[in-house]
Structures are given as C-alpha cells and as structure tokens.
Amino acid sequence: MVVLMRHALTVLVLAGLLLAQTAENRKPDRVVTINAERFAFSPSKITVKQGQLVEFVLVSDDTDHGFRIAGAGIDVAIPPQGRGEAKVRFIAREKGRFVFECSRACGAGHNLMRGYIEVK
Ligand SMILES: [Cu+2]
C-alpha cells in the first residue's frame, strides 16, 4: 500500500513538472553553451535578438559554479566537471544589457566571473 502511494505521489509530481514546463516547452530559438572555469565564463559576451528564447547550456571545466542573470530571476548551480551540465532558459523581452555572474563562491577570483548578454 505504501509502495502504491509512493507511486501515485511520483506520478503527481511528474505531472506537475510537465505542466510547469509546457509554457516554455517550445524549441529554443538559440542554444548557447557557456563554459565556466576559475575565473571566467566563456563566452562572456553574448548578443541575442529581442524576443528570442535562448537556452543556456552551462558546463563547468573545474569546480562548482553558479550562473545568475541579474534582474531576470535566474540563478542555477553548475555541477562540477564530469557531473553533467545545467540548462536554463532566458527570454530577452527587453533590449539592453543583462549582466550574468557566478553565484557560488569558487575561489579568490570569484568576483571576476561575470559577463553580459546584449539584447538587440
Ligand atoms: Cu564563483
């Protein structure tokens, strides 16, 4: 019985995840892979068109890092090298410059880990 209930719960959780994803379930207009390593993102300057749905694929070349886009409500953990990647979607609704930065303390040059997205 407990096992059955666990299954039911799993199904509910999965259904919820699916619902949450449908809104932005369309294929991204652009996929940009960003590599993170002490103490830089590469590339660190990215230009996108206004309205594009951009998917960032975030890969660490060493330790734990984070990827935060200021003012966009985005902050995800990037797993250490060999432990997979993080994906996050960003819609460039307004023109301008969005700064991104590392959000996990990764060492002495952590504060230097930043870049920007230029929306044109
Ligand atoms: Cu850092």
Side-chain angles (χ1 to χ4, degrees):
M1 188 60 191
V2 173
V3 173
L4 268 180
M5 280 173 68
R6 277 210 190 119
H7 275 297
L9 205 63
T10 306
V11 169
L12 275 175
V13 169
L14 286 176
L17 282 176
L18 283 175
L19 276 175
Q21 282 178 355
T22 40
E24 294 304 343
N25 221 6
R26 65 183 169 104
K27 198 167 164 283
D29 300 307
R30 226 178 123 193
V31 177
V32 179
T33 298
I34 301 181
N35 286 75
E37 69 178 316
R38 295 187 183 102
F39 294 101
F41 287 106
S42 172
S44 61
K45 295 173 183 132
I46 297 144
T47 303
V48 303
K49 288 191 192 127
Q50 186 177 20
Q52 276 189 327
L53 171 60
V54 184
E55 182 173 86
F56 291 109
V57 179
L58 306 158
V59 183
S60 172
D61 292 333
D62 46 34
T63 186
D64 288 284
H65 292 287
F67 182 77
R68 177 195 293 143
I69 304 178
I74 288 173
D75 185 357
V76 294
I78 309 174
Q81 186 180 41
R83 299 278 188 82
E85 59 197 18
K87 285 184 182 176
V88 70
R89 289 178 163 209
F90 170 77
I91 299 179
R93 294 189 201 280
E94 294 166 27
K95 289 182 182 169
R97 190 175 277 196
F98 292 81
V99 172
F100 59 83
E101 61 190 5
C102 180
S103 56
R104 300 290 181 281
C106 58
H110 165 69
N111 291 338
L112 304 173
M113 274 189 82
R114 44 180 56 221
Y116 63 81
I117 303 158
E118 191 82 52
V119 181
K120 290 190 170 170

